[in-house]
Amino acid sequence: MHDPAILRSMHRDRFHAEPVIFVAPGRVNLIGEHTDYAEGFVMPAAINFATLAGISPRTDGRIAIYSENYREEMVFEALPAKGNKGWTDYPLGVVSILTREGHKIPGFNLSIWSDVPLASGLSSSAALEVATALAVLSLVDATYPGPVLARLCQRAENEYVGANCGIMDQFISANGKENHSLLLDCRDLSFKLAPIPDHVALVIANTMVKHSVAGGDYPTRRRESEAACAVIASHRPGVPFLRDATLEDLDKWGNEMEPKSLMRARHVISEDLRTEAACEALLRGDMKELGRLMNEAHWSYSKDFEGSCAEADAMVELAQDLPGLIGARLTGGGFGGCTINLVEQKDAAAFAKSLAERYEARTGITPQIHICHASGGAHRLE
Ligand code: GAF
């Protein structure tokens, strides 16, 4: 699927230079939604959709970036001080952060190609940032450990793009492991690898409803959940993040919170508990419990966090009685995008077909359904 030869010849034709090529994957999150910025737990896996970045240096100091997806080349005389709300903000944000870290980045040509579906909650932005970071760092012979690289890319998105995301997407793109999901503690970035058994397929069902982290709903939900945390912290100063709060705290002080804040916090606190339990279930091979936790997580996300949409709820409902389903839920930042369905491998093709038919009949929308597997993290190709 990810053929570096195509990117290489595209880069040569356009820029008349030989590129060095890097790849960074998108991701799916099995469970643990909107917990990362609350310093809690997430359990993503990198997937076999990825972004390729080919780079070669220039001598005139300019930055030229071509995206095959947007069929657009943009040339910058120098690094713009801030983003302009376009797709180039992601690679330029990375250059900006690396420059602030003290790297003297020369001019360069960058060619981008990606098969991570855009605006679908599968972290196309993080894949672009991480692939760019590896490419740009290669110009100055620098490397970083995966977790540090992820933090730098998250800063690019927070500080340059202006999207208030957590660490999950960049982390898994940089540190994913073939056939594994990873229970990440977003407080100290320590993680536990959880193998995904061979008999289980990751079936990703795209509702075709567009998702965006930069849009209004993500930051609103984040603010609402943080407001709940502030109420708890006013009684219990040892609670800087919802990661440190308990459901008992909500029983005690929930009446001092805005009703929506209370609901958001109930989702986040219970989601952390579910995520750690889901990892334990996966590690001991208890697929039934894993599926139960995923389903519970979906409805918590939908009802308490109000982070779903009618189409994603339908996609989850319609999967429930299909043969082979282990668990289904909306994955990623929410308000559209994809559901993740853990499905017995032997049933995956029939599951995908039936789910697509049912969804189209219910909503009138033709979904895209992909049977994926967990892949490795970002690296140099060839
Ligand atoms: C988006 C964000 F980028 C992540 O940091 C995370 O908050 C996720 O939404 C929700 O779990 O993907």
Side-chain angles (χ1 to χ4, degrees):
M1 214 190 303
H2 310 128
D3 188 354
I6 299 175
L7 189 77
R8 180 177 302 286
S9 86
M10 226 167 65
H11 191 93
R12 275 194 199 130
D13 292 349
R14 177 170 296 274
F15 297 118
H16 312 291
E18 197 60 36
V20 182
I21 300 180
F22 297 84
V23 61
R27 66 99 188 90
V28 74
N29 188 21
L30 301 191
I31 192 165
E33 228 61 85
H34 288 264
T35 45
D36 59 353
Y37 51 76
E39 298 208 346
F41 296 92
V42 293
M43 199 166 79
I47 52 175
N48 51 313
F49 285 116
T51 296
L52 302 190
I55 198 160
S56 59
R58 292 174 70 114
T59 50
D60 59 5
R62 290 183 182 153
I63 297 175
I65 314 180
Y66 173 71
S67 161
E68 175 66 9
N69 300 80
Y70 290 99
R71 303 271 159 130
E72 187 174 37
E73 179 179 331
M74 301 287 283
V75 181
F76 302 89
E77 294 296 323
L79 179 67
K82 53 187 177 59
N84 67 1
K85 308 272 173 237
W87 63 269
T88 53
D89 285 1
Y90 298 93
L92 292 175
V94 168
V95 178
S96 166
I97 295 299
L98 293 178
T99 304
R100 276 191 247 163
E101 285 296 293
H103 295 289
K104 303 256 174 296
I105 312 287
F108 59 83
N109 303 309
L110 185 68
S111 299
I112 306 287
W113 174 96
S114 184
D115 65 358
V116 185
L118 298 177
S120 301
L122 299 178
S123 295
S124 56
S125 313
L128 176 52
E129 289 153 5
V130 173
T132 302
L134 289 183
V136 169
L137 285 167
S138 76
L139 293 176
V140 291
D141 274 331
T143 57
Y144 284 105
V148 181
L149 189 75
R151 258 307 171 221
L152 294 170
C153 291
Q154 182 201 8
R155 281 183 55 201
E157 189 146 344
N158 294 164
E159 296 171 28
Y160 193 91
V161 177
N164 209 8
C165 66
I167 187 71
M168 168 168 69
D169 303 352
Q170 293 79 6
F171 193 92
I172 189 68
S173 184
N175 300 287
K177 188 161 154 56
E178 187 90 28
N179 300 325
H180 286 72
S181 73
L182 190 149
L183 177 74
L184 174 66
D185 180 338
C186 298
R187 167 151 289 165
D188 61 9
L189 301 189
S190 60
F191 61 87
K192 201 188 269 183
L193 286 170
I196 298 178
D198 286 349
H199 65 89
V200 176
L202 308 180
V203 181
I204 296 176
N206 194 337
T207 62
M208 311 308 278
V209 177
K210 291 291 174 206
H211 146 92
S212 153
V213 171
D217 291 324
Y218 183 99
T220 305
R221 293 298 186 282
R222 181 170 175 164
R223 265 196 309 279
E224 288 166 344
S225 65
E226 287 170 351
C229 191
V231 170
I232 299 170
S234 72
H235 297 281
R236 224 162 52 82
V239 182
F241 293 93
L242 281 179
R243 149 71 177 271
D244 307 295
T246 63
L247 292 169
E248 290 72 50
D249 291 331
L250 298 184
D251 290 341
K252 281 193 203 144
W253 299 302
N255 60 351
E256 295 174 29
M257 297 169 189
E258 292 290 331
K260 295 278 182 204
S261 281
L262 171 60
M263 288 159 64
R264 308 311 180 230
R266 193 161 54 214
H267 166 74
V268 174
I269 296 170
S270 62
E271 185 80 345
D272 272 334
L273 299 171
R274 278 188 292 272
T275 304
E276 286 193 274
C279 182
E280 291 309 316
L282 180 55
L283 286 172
R284 64 173 188 270
D286 186 347
M287 294 298 148
K288 194 154 176 251
E289 174 65 357
L290 175 61
R292 191 192 67 75
L293 289 162
M294 288 175 71
N295 290 337
E296 189 179 295
H298 176 78
W299 293 111
S300 169
Y301 197 11
S302 177
K303 303 270 185 252
D304 270 345
F305 206 75
E306 294 180 297
S308 186
C309 60
E311 292 83 354
D313 286 351
M315 193 73 95
V316 167
E317 270 168 28
L318 295 170
Q320 292 306 315
D321 62 343
L322 288 176
L325 180 75
I326 295 166
R329 53 176 293 280
L330 173 62
T331 189
F335 316 103
C338 295
T339 64
I340 168 70
N341 302 266
L342 292 189
V343 180
E344 291 296 339
Q345 194 76 56
K346 62 177 175 29
D347 299 313
F351 175 92
K353 186 165 175 291
S354 305
L355 184 58
E357 285 165 4
R358 286 181 170 191
Y359 182 76
E360 185 159 358
R362 167 84 70 93
T363 63
I365 304 169
T366 308
Q368 283 172 3
I369 306 209
H370 313 281
I371 301 176
C372 292
H373 60 264
S375 76
H379 58 277
R380 183 174 168 169
L381 282 177
E382 298 173 332

